[in-house]
């Protein structure tokens, strides 16, 4: 059973509101992930990007997304968790994905972290996100957003909990030629 409509994706690079302008006005990491996913999946997906906390609540109040991906760094981990908690309370079937270096590398700590956040995050992406996130979106489309089925597929570089088992698939190969990732600046 394949999804028969365009998958609605929101990527969030949350930051605390600041009095001064942020030195990182362009959320480059999520922009690169979005550019790569659109290149690979075309019009099977529609991707929007946001950076601000207010923008997140405004967007998710007015529109239900199929998948929401959160950048997950030390400086925004709590924001990501709070936003995902709000999203799961409002739209429990929305698939949530966390990706970024806040996920521990040590296997024991990684499992503890994933288990602790499993109610808020359906999936975690370890290391580079472009290929694994795109493959995860493709699997969700091909399985009509059936999270349990997709968890059982063990998508490379994706971490999750399935029937109380920690699922840790092998890492996806790194993209060695950065020209494979369309420029977010040129892609708009």
């Amino acid at each position: 059973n394949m999804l028969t409509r365009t998958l609605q994706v929101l990527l969030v690079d949350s930051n605390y509101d600041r009095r001064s302008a942020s030195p990182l006005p362009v959320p480059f990491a999520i922009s690169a992930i979005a550019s790569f996913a659109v290149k690979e999946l075309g019009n099977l997906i529609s991707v929007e990007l946001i950076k601000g906390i207010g923008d997140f609540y405004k967007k998710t109040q007015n529109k239900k997304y199929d998948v929401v991906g959160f950048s997950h760094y030390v400086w925004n981990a709590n924001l990501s968790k709070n936003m995902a908690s709000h999203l799961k309370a409002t739209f429990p079937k929305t698939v949530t994905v966390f990706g970024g270096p806040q996920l521990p590398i040590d296997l024991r700590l990684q499992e503890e972290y994933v288990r602790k956040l499993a109610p808020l995050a359906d999936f975690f992406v370890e290391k580079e996100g472009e290929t694994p996130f795109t493959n995860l979106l493709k699997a969700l489309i091909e399985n009509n957003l059936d999270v349990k089925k997709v968890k059982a597929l063990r998508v490379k570089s994706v971490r999750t909990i399935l029937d109380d088992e920690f699922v840790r698939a092998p890492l996806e190969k790194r993209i060695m030629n950065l020209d494979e990732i369309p420029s977010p600046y040129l892609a708009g």
Side-chain angles (χ1 to χ4, degrees):
N1 259 2
M2 195 163 151
L3 190 66
T4 57
R5 58 177 174 73
T6 303
L7 186 74
Q8 299 298 312
V9 180
L10 178 66
L11 293 178
V12 182
D13 182 17
S14 57
N15 283 300
Y16 291 94
D17 292 331
R18 303 165 47 118
R19 289 183 187 265
S20 62
S22 170
L24 302 171
V26 175
F28 187 79
I30 63 171
S31 298
I33 290 168
S35 294
F36 188 80
V38 168
K39 177 187 106 172
E40 296 296 315
L41 301 174
N43 56 6
L44 294 175
I45 62 171
S46 172
V47 183
E48 295 179 45
L49 307 174
I50 57 166
K51 196 163 173 60
I53 299 168
D55 291 341
F56 170 80
Y57 289 105
K58 192 182 302 176
K59 285 264 187 198
T60 57
Q61 173 184 337
N62 296 321
K63 182 175 178 179
K64 182 189 177 304
Y65 292 89
D66 299 307
V67 178
V68 177
F70 295 92
S71 67
H72 198 58
Y73 294 86
V74 67
W75 61 82
N76 71 0
N78 287 332
L79 277 176
S80 297
K81 290 184 250 183
N82 289 334
M83 290 178 183
S85 177
H86 170 79
L87 194 62
K88 286 293 192 180
T90 310
F91 299 110
K93 290 189 182 232
T94 296
V95 178
T96 52
V97 183
F98 282 34
Q102 186 64 10
L103 181 66
I105 295 171
D106 176 83
L107 292 181
R108 185 182 55 77
L109 295 175
Q110 188 177 90
E111 180 174 352
E112 285 176 17
Y113 196 80
V114 170
R115 284 186 183 283
K116 186 171 106 180
L117 293 182
L120 304 177
D122 297 300
F123 300 98
F124 291 81
V125 175
E126 184 178 358
K127 306 260 185 205
E128 288 182 352
E130 288 80 2
T131 302
F133 186 72
T134 299
N135 290 341
L136 183 58
L137 293 179
K138 185 177 178 190
L140 287 163
I141 291 167
E142 290 172 350
N143 290 280
N144 201 25
L145 294 168
D146 187 327
V147 170
K148 192 167 183 169
K149 278 185 184 176
V150 173
K151 286 180 175 189
L153 294 175
R154 298 174 184 265
V155 175
K156 285 185 177 180
S157 294
V158 174
R159 314 293 175 243
T160 191
I161 301 295
L162 175 61
D163 297 329
D164 203 40
E165 176 195 349
F166 177 57
V167 176
R168 185 179 188 275
L171 289 173
E172 182 64 64
K173 287 193 296 190
R174 296 189 74 183
I175 297 173
M176 300 311 288
N177 178 2
L178 295 182
D179 288 337
E180 292 179 32
I181 304 169
S183 167
Y185 297 104
L186 297 176

